[in-house]
Amino acid sequence: MDKKHGLFSKSNSRRSRSKSPVRSVSPIIIRRRKGRYVTQPDRHMSEMLAPVREGPDPDGEDSGSSGDYSRFERRWYNWMKCQLPVAPPSVSSSSDFKRTDLRLLLGVLGAPLGPVHVSALDLLPHLSIKNTPMETSSAQYILQQYTAASGGQKLHSSVQNGYVMGRIRTMASEFETGSKGSKSKNNSSKSVESGGFVLWHMNPDMWYMELVLGGSKVLAGCDGKLVWRHTPWLGPHAAKGPVRPLRRALQGLDPRTTAYMFANARCIGEKKIDGEDCFILKLCADPATLKARSEGASETIRHTLFGYFSQKTGLLVHLEDSQLTRIQNNGGEAVYWETTINSYLEDYKPVEGIMIAHSGRSVATLLRFGDMSSGHNTKTTMQEAWVIDEIAFNVPGLSIDCFIPPSELRFDSHVEDLSQGPKIRTLHGHKNG
């Protein structure tokens, strides 16, 4: 039964600890200390997650200073919209290249979000055939089969919170640059980074994740009103647009949220994935959401999610999403960034009756184009493989205090219009949103 899981060369017999989650999981205590999150892991977590760097970026650039706010804002745009630098990566030194490599990996595969807002308080649409397009009614039927195959609506509704811990390995496999008359590839950066992540979620619409990779830590969370991230090079920053779930939760870890995500999808056909016949559901972010996610020189043009559901098991086996962002440079032509992530979900096992994918792999492709004056395009390919070690539902003692955003982010108002995105004021006094 052992399988090769992408970048993982060996199968680990310890990876499925979900048979007795109450016994094996000792919850991580997340406290607030002077506006920062402090994690107190148990002994097993200390063995898995290596010590991480804290503080400013190794380049010595402190993006928190108010004098560099314009530069901070540009980086914030790139992180929130496409998570890429405006210029192609520099290969002047191996250390600089590795650092750029790691930023790309963390920016793209670390904590991406789903395309639209969904809520645990929503209800799945009832199967309707009369006066309903065939594409829509077929999608509703497929979602009903998926809900039943993954545990059933009653069991899903009984889950009030959850905990997941896993290991990841990532690699930026290829940088490709092209101009009007030439093309070159750089495969010298195939350095593999190992790490792990911890994900907590709680109804309604709250989640918190810590991900450690290559000596750097990325934090991300949502308190139901605001989505935020914290990186070593940008510090804490708020996501633009409506509250959206973490994409990693859609990768076979949260069937209920996955079903809600595809509630308004259309069935567009069939396709074989790894030799398995699948139905394809397509979901597009609506114009209001795209507009709310756009700001200044950065415009989110589209964000599309495809779900491939096995005709044999009814489970989600492949997830593909693609988003296109347009960045208007001052006095120059617009540059386009297209980000595509393909995730393959494997090794489904029941956890308290709910089917969970215990391993998988993702391949991300980033394409930069549109600058006709220089004729310079770049393409970057990255890979990630993950294995789930522990998972549990309805963890005792988990409270909403674990999902409070960092104190550096403050609401302008207690009442927020999710369709327009939260209005945030940072410590610099600049208003975003």
Side-chain angles (χ1 to χ4, degrees):
M1 296 296 292
D2 289 346
K3 297 181 180 180
K4 293 183 179 179
H5 299 280
L7 300 176
F8 288 96
S9 59
K10 295 182 180 181
S11 175
N12 191 331
S13 61
R14 296 171 55 212
R15 75 177 174 221
S16 180
R17 300 188 174 186
S18 54
K19 295 180 180 179
S20 181
V22 176
R23 176 182 58 82
S24 62
V25 176
S26 40
I28 296 177
I29 302 173
I30 305 173
R31 297 179 178 176
R32 297 298 302 275
R33 181 180 300 170
K34 295 181 179 180
R36 297 180 61 189
Y37 286 94
V38 179
T39 306
Q40 297 180 346
D42 59 12
R43 183 172 59 83
H44 174 69
M45 278 297 296
S46 299
E47 294 172 355
M48 188 191 75
L49 300 182
V52 299
R53 288 195 304 265
E54 296 289 345
D57 179 73
D59 288 338
E61 300 177 8
D62 184 5
S63 60
S65 62
S66 58
D68 292 338
Y69 184 79
S70 60
R71 179 170 54 185
F72 172 87
E73 189 175 38
R74 289 196 299 270
R75 292 182 179 178
W76 186 83
Y77 284 155
N78 293 332
W79 171 265
M80 295 309 305
K81 315 305 179 187
C82 259
Q83 302 94 31
L84 281 172
V86 174
S90 172
V91 293
S92 57
S93 67
S94 59
S95 61
D96 290 343
F97 193 84
K98 183 177 180 181
R99 182 164 56 250
T100 302
D101 225 11
L102 184 59
R103 287 190 181 187
L104 291 176
L105 286 166
L106 290 173
V108 177
L109 294 172
L113 304 177
V116 298
H117 167 72
V118 296
S119 174
L121 302 178
D122 295 337
L123 297 177
L124 289 175
H126 295 288
L127 179 61
S128 176
I129 299 177
K130 185 177 180 180
N131 299 325
T132 302
M134 179 65 69
E135 294 177 338
T136 302
S137 60
S138 298
Q140 293 173 354
Y141 175 78
I142 294 168
L143 285 181
Q144 285 193 351
Q145 297 301 308
Y146 169 70
T147 300
S150 59
Q153 183 67 32
K154 182 178 180 180
L155 194 56
H156 291 178
S157 301
S158 69
V159 175
Q160 299 303 312
N161 64 58
Y163 156 86
V164 181
M165 184 175 72
R167 291 170 287 125
I168 59 174
R169 299 190 73 188
T170 59
M171 178 176 68
S173 60
E174 179 180 278
F175 289 98
E176 180 178 329
T177 60
S179 59
K180 294 180 179 178
S182 63
K183 180 182 291 187
S184 62
K185 292 185 178 181
N186 188 336
N187 297 301
S188 62
S189 63
K190 291 186 176 181
S191 59
V192 177
E193 299 286 355
S194 299
F197 70 92
V198 178
L199 171 63
W200 297 86
H201 61 88
M202 183 175 181
N203 292 338
D205 312 327
M206 291 177 283
W207 54 266
Y208 173 78
M209 186 191 71
E210 291 190 10
L211 185 145
V212 176
L213 183 68
S216 295
K217 179 189 290 186
V218 172
L219 310 178
C222 176
D223 65 349
K225 299 178 181 179
L226 168 70
V227 177
W228 59 271
R229 298 187 184 98
H230 183 287
T231 66
W233 56 91
L234 283 184
H237 48 281
K240 184 68 177 175
V243 168
R244 291 172 285 148
L246 189 68
R247 186 189 189 275
R248 193 171 295 275
L250 305 178
Q251 297 171 184
L253 302 180
D254 190 345
R256 185 183 186 185
T257 299
T258 302
Y260 290 151
M261 176 62 65
F262 285 97
N264 295 316
R266 297 179 295 111
C267 180
I268 61 171
E270 305 177 21
K271 185 178 181 179
K272 281 186 178 291
I273 299 295
D274 292 337
E276 191 168 357
D277 292 327
C278 296
F279 294 113
I280 309 174
L281 299 190
K282 178 182 179 180
L283 174 71
C284 297
D286 57 278
T289 297
L290 295 176
K291 183 178 180 180
R293 292 169 55 183
S294 302
E295 183 179 15
S298 180
E299 177 188 3
T300 304
I301 297 177
R302 61 169 167 81
H303 192 173
T304 306
L305 184 68
F306 299 89
Y308 296 78
F309 294 82
S310 169
Q311 296 183 14
K312 180 179 180 181
T313 66
L315 298 173
L316 178 67
V317 297
H318 179 53
L319 195 65
E320 174 188 354
D321 69 281
S322 175
Q323 54 181 315
L324 180 64
T325 301
R326 178 181 183 270
I327 299 177
Q328 180 64 54
N329 294 322
N330 292 331
E333 298 183 38
V335 176
Y336 294 85
W337 287 103
E338 185 175 29
T339 307
T340 303
I341 305 178
N342 284 277
S343 299
Y344 300 85
L345 317 182
E346 304 166 353
D347 196 17
Y348 272 94
K349 299 177 183 178
V351 179
E352 301 181 25
I354 298 177
M355 296 299 291
I356 301 296
H358 279 66
S359 66
R361 51 193 169 88
S362 292
V363 179
T365 303
L366 302 102
L367 180 63
R368 176 188 186 272
F369 62 94
D371 190 359
M372 302 303 295
S373 59
S374 63
H376 189 83
N377 300 327
T378 62
K379 181 181 179 181
T380 307
T381 303
M382 288 165 279
Q383 301 179 44
E384 177 193 82
W386 71 89
V387 168
I388 302 303
D389 288 317
E390 296 185 3
I391 184 167
F393 300 116
N394 296 324
V395 179
L398 188 64
S399 70
I400 60 175
D401 293 337
C402 300
F403 305 94
I404 300 175
S407 60
E408 290 88 340
L409 301 176
R410 300 195 300 269
F411 285 104
D412 281 341
S413 173
H414 294 289
V415 180
E416 300 294 340
D417 182 358
L418 292 180
S419 65
Q420 298 299 320
K423 298 179 180 179
I424 301 302
R425 187 180 299 276
T426 68
L427 287 182
H428 307 300
H430 293 270
K431 190 174 181 179
N432 299 327

